[in-house]
Amino acid sequence: MTEARGSAGLHGETYPPGTPCWVSLMVHGMAATQDFYGALFGWEFRPGPQQLGPYVRALLDGHEVAGIGQLPSDRHLPIAWTPYLASADVDKTAAMVRHCGGTVGVGPLDAADAGRMAIASDSSGAVFGIWQAAAHLGTAVAGVPGTPAWNELFTRDAIGVAKFYETVFGYEEESLTAADADYVTLRVGGRPVAGIHGVGRSLPRDRGPHWLTSFEVADTDEAVTRVTDLGGHLLKPARDTPHGRVATVADPEGAVFSLVHTLVHTEGRTNR
C-alpha cells in the first residue's frame, strides 16, 4: 500500500481523471449496515440519488466520504466496497473499457444532478465504478480517521491488468522492482493514487480479482476490536508495514476492507 495524501478534490475542484474519487457499498440490510459503520467510523447518513434504489451518503463531520446502497432482494451479488474512478466523460470511458476487453454492467446513467456514472469490470473481471462529477465531486475529506485511505486491486498478474487501466485512464505506472514482487503503482500527475497487486495462485477462489479499500483509523488494533464487537470478522490480523499498521476485516454482510493507521498524518482536507 502506498500513501495517497491530498487525493481529495480541493476547493470545489473535480478529481483528476483516473483518481479514485468515491467508494460505495451495496448491501441487503441498509439499516444494520449503517449502524455498523456509524459505530465503527462515526459516520452519519443522509439520502443520496435513488436511480439504482435506496441509497445514502455517509458523512464525517458533515463531509461526504462514502455511499451505501440497497441491493434488490432478488439479486445475490457479492457484497463488496467498490471504488469509483474519476472521468471527464463517462460515456467515452465506458466505450474504452469495452474496447480494452472489459465490460460495462450498469450505465452510463445520470444520478440525478450529482453526476453521471457507470459500473464496469476490467479485463480480469474486477468490478469498479466510473464517476463523471456534476454537483457531487466525490469524497470531500481525506487523511483523517473514517476516510478512504487507499484502493488496491488484487489480481493474478499485475502487469497485464495494469495495461488495461493505463489505456483506459491514462495512468503513469511504477512497477516494484523486487524479484519476488508483482506490484504496480498507478499515478496521476506523478502522484500515486492506487495500486495493483499481482498475487498469482494466492488469489482467493471465492472472490477472484477484486478491489480492496482501506480506511484510515486512529488505532488499528482498537478498530479491529470494534469491528468484532459490532459483528464483523477479522480476516488478517494487524501487522506493521512500511506505510502503517494494517488489518483486513469484513463487515457483518461479508464486505471486505482494510483498516490502516498510517505512519504520517496530515491535517484533513476538504473540497467543500
Side-chain angles (χ1 to χ4, degrees), residues 140-234:
V141 62
V144 296
T147 61
W150 185 249
N151 289 282
E152 190 162 290
L153 172 62
F154 286 81
T155 189
R156 292 179 179 84
D157 171 32
I159 301 299
V161 177
K163 296 301 181 185
F164 168 89
Y165 287 96
E166 178 186 11
T167 304
V168 173
F169 291 101
Y171 291 119
E172 308 146 19
E173 298 178 12
E174 179 187 357
S175 300
L176 196 63
T177 56
D180 60 347
D182 182 17
Y183 195 93
V184 174
T185 300
L186 302 176
R187 294 175 176 268
V188 173
R191 181 171 54 82
V193 297
I196 301 178
H197 191 184
V199 296
R201 294 182 179 179
S202 299
L203 192 70
R205 292 185 178 181
D206 59 339
R207 297 191 67 196
H210 61 277
W211 282 91
L212 180 71
T213 297
S214 297
F215 292 93
E216 182 78 30
V217 293
D219 184 309
T220 303
D221 298 88
E222 180 182 336
V224 166
T225 299
R226 288 205 308 272
V227 165
T228 55
D229 288 347
L230 292 166
H233 307 281
L234 175 63

Side-chain angles (χ1 to χ4, degrees), residues 43-60:
W43 291 351
E44 298 177 336
F45 301 91
R46 68 181 176 200
Q50 309 289 307
Q51 274 67 20
L52 299 179
Y55 190 82
V56 296
R57 291 178 182 159
L59 286 77
L60 185 66

Side-chain angles (χ1 to χ4, degrees), residues 3-246:
E3 193 173 354
R5 293 297 175 193
S7 60
L10 303 179
H11 311 302
E13 298 175 0
T14 57
Y15 283 77
T19 308
C21 61
W22 188 245
V23 289
S24 193
L25 174 65
M26 300 296 288
V27 299
H28 295 291
M30 284 274 287
T33 299
Q34 290 176 66
D35 289 343
F36 174 84
Y37 287 101
L40 179 61
F41 293 136
W43 291 351
E44 298 177 336
F45 301 91
R46 68 181 176 200
Q50 309 289 307
Q51 274 67 20
L52 299 179
Y55 190 82
V56 296
R57 291 178 182 159
L59 286 77
L60 185 66
D61 296 328
H63 302 292
E64 296 174 346
V65 294
I68 298 174
Q70 175 79 54
L71 278 172
S73 59
D74 60 344
R75 299 290 297 275
H76 299 286
L77 300 173
I79 308 297
W81 280 101
T82 301
Y84 279 72
L85 308 178
S87 170
D89 188 324
V90 69
D91 294 83
K92 289 183 178 179
T93 301
M96 184 61 71
V97 165
R98 297 187 185 98
H99 176 74
C100 293
T103 60
V104 178
V106 176
L109 56 83
D110 290 327
D113 63 348
R116 190 162 172 80
M117 60 160 286
I119 300 175
S121 299
D122 65 25
S123 54
S124 73
V127 175
F128 64 95
I130 308 167
W131 183 253
Q132 179 183 340
H136 175 64
L137 301 182
T139 302
V141 62
V144 296
T147 61
W150 185 249
N151 289 282
E152 190 162 290
L153 172 62
F154 286 81
T155 189
R156 292 179 179 84
D157 171 32
I159 301 299
V161 177
K163 296 301 181 185
F164 168 89
Y165 287 96
E166 178 186 11
T167 304
V168 173
F169 291 101
Y171 291 119
E172 308 146 19
E173 298 178 12
E174 179 187 357
S175 300
L176 196 63
T177 56
D180 60 347
D182 182 17
Y183 195 93
V184 174
T185 300
L186 302 176
R187 294 175 176 268
V188 173
R191 181 171 54 82
V193 297
I196 301 178
H197 191 184
V199 296
R201 294 182 179 179
S202 299
L203 192 70
R205 292 185 178 181
D206 59 339
R207 297 191 67 196
H210 61 277
W211 282 91
L212 180 71
T213 297
S214 297
F215 292 93
E216 182 78 30
V217 293
D219 184 309
T220 303
D221 298 88
E222 180 182 336
V224 166
T225 299
R226 288 205 308 272
V227 165
T228 55
D229 288 347
L230 292 166
H233 307 281
L234 175 63
L235 303 181
K236 290 184 179 180
R239 59 205 181 277
D240 293 320
T241 76
H243 306 286
R245 190 159 175 79
V246 181

